[in-house]
Amino acid sequence: MGEQAGTAPNVAFVTFACHDGHELTGPTPRHITITVEPGGRPIEPEGDAEELEALKDAYATIAHSFSLAMAKELGCEDNGGLKARPSLDPA
């Protein structure tokens, strides 16, 4: 799921490399990090372990979807290495 990814019940991020993007120029790949978190005042998520795991998966899915859309929009080679669907299994 990108070069790096991380998630918690209230935040997730995906980092991917953009090679040969039509919107980005230069000899080296650009590394882009997309972070998803709630806006406003920080609130500690509540719930049992299953509910917190579902929140982590939801944030990871949103971060992946936005990253994939960004990679496509920028014209990154191979969509920045991002697959069509996120991998929600811990590595």
Side-chain angles (χ1 to χ4, degrees):
M1 200 160 109
E3 289 188 334
Q4 291 185 325
T7 187
N10 59 354
V11 66
F13 75 92
V14 173
T15 300
F16 63 94
C18 186
H19 299 271
D20 301 325
H22 62 269
E23 296 293 328
L24 301 173
T25 60
T28 59
R30 306 296 175 131
H31 297 274
I32 300 167
T33 299
I34 302 295
T35 303
V36 177
E37 60 187 333
R41 186 170 59 95
I43 298 173
E44 193 64 32
E46 296 179 2
D48 61 25
E50 189 174 309
E51 291 169 328
L52 294 176
E53 191 63 32
L55 276 173
K56 286 171 59 174
D57 288 351
Y59 276 101
T61 299
I62 293 167
H64 174 270
S65 296
F66 193 87
S67 297
L68 181 58
M70 179 69 71
K72 287 180 178 183
E73 181 68 24
L74 293 173
C76 301
E77 180 180 291
D78 191 32
N79 292 329
L82 298 166
K83 305 292 183 208
R85 296 192 177 272
S87 171
L88 301 177
D89 297 324

